Amino acid sequence: MDDEVFEDYDRELELALYKEYRDVVSQFQYVIETERRFYLANDVNVVRRDTEHDFYFELTMKDVWVWDIYRADRFVKSVRVLTFKDVNVEELQRRDFELPDELSLDS
């Protein structure tokens, strides 16, 4: 196989993942971003843990969808993440769920 076949396969996977995200986002209350992953969840708790010389964040999420192209099952009952990096948590509102017509993939 040549590189173009792999690139086409990767693009197809990314498009399928985006379509799945678009279909499920309305079922979730929070968007969570870490340095490694992007999550949708209905319950999230972020706790700062201090150590002797540093600190880290412990995230616990329930009823989760994981943005990961290579996961066989992106729906997870619970997720726990420990990170020294930034964490972004946004609460979604109903109006956030609708894509403008020009961005729609349905034609």
Side-chain angles (χ1 to χ4, degrees):
M1 291 186 156
D2 61 16
D3 288 342
E4 189 172 315
V5 172
F6 285 121
E7 288 175 15
D8 289 344
Y9 177 72
D10 225 21
R11 275 192 295 268
E12 288 176 23
L13 287 176
E14 287 177 20
L15 181 58
L17 182 64
Y18 170 76
K19 287 180 178 180
E20 182 177 322
Y21 164 81
R22 185 188 63 189
D23 291 343
V24 302
V25 68
S26 64
Q27 299 173 37
F28 295 93
Q29 188 173 355
Y30 298 97
V31 173
I32 301 97
E33 292 178 85
T34 69
E35 80 280 3
R36 297 194 60 206
R37 294 271 191 280
F38 178 88
Y39 305 90
L40 298 172
N42 283 321
D43 184 52
V44 62
N45 186 32
V46 180
V47 177
R48 177 183 160 143
R49 303 283 187 199
D50 292 308
T51 64
E52 187 176 339
H53 301 289
D54 209 347
F55 67 91
Y56 64 93
F57 297 104
E58 180 178 1
L59 289 84
T60 52
M61 297 172 272
K62 294 186 178 164
D63 188 19
V64 181
W65 182 86
V66 183
W67 181 287
D68 187 337
I69 219 167
Y70 300 107
R71 288 181 68 97
D73 188 5
R74 286 181 272 279
F75 291 94
V76 183
K77 184 176 181 178
S78 64
V79 174
R80 180 174 172 245
V81 176
L82 304 176
T83 182
F84 288 96
K85 305 285 184 171
D86 290 341
V87 174
N88 184 43
V89 177
E90 295 180 32
E91 185 170 3
L92 297 172
Q93 296 180 12
R94 181 60 73 189
R95 69 177 185 270
D96 293 335
F97 299 148
E98 298 190 24
L99 287 173
D101 289 337
E102 63 268 12
L103 295 178
S104 178
L105 297 175
D106 301 325
S107 298

